[in-house]
Amino acid sequence: KKVVKEGEMQKKDENTRQQRLARDGIFLLRKEKEEEEEIVLCDGALRFVADLSRQFEDRRRQLLLQRQKIQLEIQQGKMPCFLKETKQIREDKTWKIDKIPQIMEKRRVDVVCLDVSSPSSLWHCINSSADGIQVDFDDGYSPTWSNGIKAQANLIKATRNNLLLNAQLPKNKTIMIMRPRSWNLIEEHMIVDGIPVCDG
């Protein structure tokens, strides 16, 4: 009876949360709640993604349409060229990029973590003594909703040194660099104001 009651309370809390988010125009569409969602999808995180979507979605769609237009022009024989807006930079012989941050200067060996949803895979990458780890959220793993939640949770756990039970991470300065999903993709499991958010 106690287990049933706790389950009912959790379901009630989740329904209350969904109603609260719905008032802000935020909806999560999934069959069931993932175990790691509490680590990744707090209300603040969801509202942050919603704010980004509201601010940049129109611009994202404009850029995608512009890309289609350029592709069509190339297919019709028009050669691509440099942007007029960057002409001044290209002709300025003194122009340089900003100084590379010190933490990024030593990048002799990088490894790619292809399955971030696997704690052991990420753990082995961190323990490889490489200077940097490219955490691949794009092509490296099956980007289902469940795997995405697990992958985000694994990164959070890694930064808190509790990725695996009884397995301490090395005290090195390995840099984790996230490679996000492409901006042309959408995340159908999260809806903001009736529109799926960008998957990147």
Side-chain angles (χ1 to χ4, degrees):
K1 289 182 179 179
K2 185 177 180 181
V3 173
V4 172
K5 191 173 182 180
E6 287 180 353
E8 290 176 351
M9 289 296 294
Q10 290 175 354
K11 188 174 181 180
K12 184 179 179 181
D13 290 344
E14 178 62 16
N15 288 338
T16 301
R17 180 182 185 235
Q18 291 279 21
Q19 292 171 4
R20 185 171 64 247
L21 291 171
R23 287 194 291 270
D24 292 336
I26 302 170
F27 296 88
L28 293 179
L29 308 179
R30 73 272 202 240
K31 291 182 179 179
E32 57 186 25
K33 183 178 178 181
E34 296 293 329
E35 182 180 349
E36 307 284 14
E37 279 190 24
E38 292 184 7
I39 300 175
V40 179
L41 298 180
C42 64
D43 287 8
L46 291 174
R47 289 193 174 95
F48 175 67
V49 173
D51 288 344
L52 290 177
S53 181
R54 288 169 179 139
Q55 183 174 353
F56 295 109
E57 179 61 19
D58 288 345
R59 179 58 176 156
R60 183 185 78 90
R61 293 189 179 202
Q62 289 172 5
L63 290 172
L64 290 177
L65 289 173
Q66 183 179 350
R67 187 168 78 169
Q68 292 175 4
K69 179 184 176 184
I70 293 172
Q71 180 63 43
L72 182 61
E73 290 174 348
I74 292 173
Q75 291 173 345
Q76 293 174 346
K78 181 179 178 181
M79 294 299 293
C81 58
F82 292 110
L83 296 174
K84 294 178 181 178
E85 302 93 290
T86 60
K87 182 179 179 182
Q88 183 179 355
I89 294 175
R90 294 195 307 275
E91 294 180 349
D92 183 356
K93 304 299 182 183
T94 64
W95 188 90
K96 295 180 180 179
I97 64 169
D98 287 338
K99 188 177 184 329
I100 298 174
Q102 186 175 1
I103 196 172
M104 300 287 287
E105 287 179 353
K106 184 185 176 185
R107 295 280 302 288
R108 293 180 179 85
V109 179
D110 271 13
V111 295
V112 179
C113 183
L114 292 177
D115 187 4
V116 202
S117 64
S118 166
S120 60
S121 177
L122 182 57
W123 187 86
H124 283 297
C125 285
I126 296 173
N127 276 274
S128 68
S129 74
D131 299 315
I133 303 170
Q134 294 187 36
V135 185
D136 193 349
F137 277 78
D138 194 18
D139 299 327
Y141 75 119
S142 177
T144 62
W145 174 258
S146 177
N147 281 348
I149 296 298
K150 290 175 183 175
Q152 294 284 354
N154 286 339
L155 285 187
I156 293 171
K157 291 176 181 178
T159 60
R160 296 173 181 172
N161 200 14
N162 62 351
L163 183 59
L164 293 174
L165 290 176
N166 304 317
Q168 292 294 309
L169 294 173
K171 294 182 179 179
N172 57 22
K173 295 183 179 179
T174 302
I175 304 167
M176 288 194 293
I177 304 168
M178 181 188 289
R179 181 189 179 198
R181 299 276 289 158
S182 301
W183 280 15
N184 63 311
L185 304 173
I186 59 172
E187 177 51 75
E188 296 179 346
H189 294 85
M190 183 174 176
I191 308 296
V192 175
D193 301 335
I195 301 173
V197 299
C198 171
D199 206 12

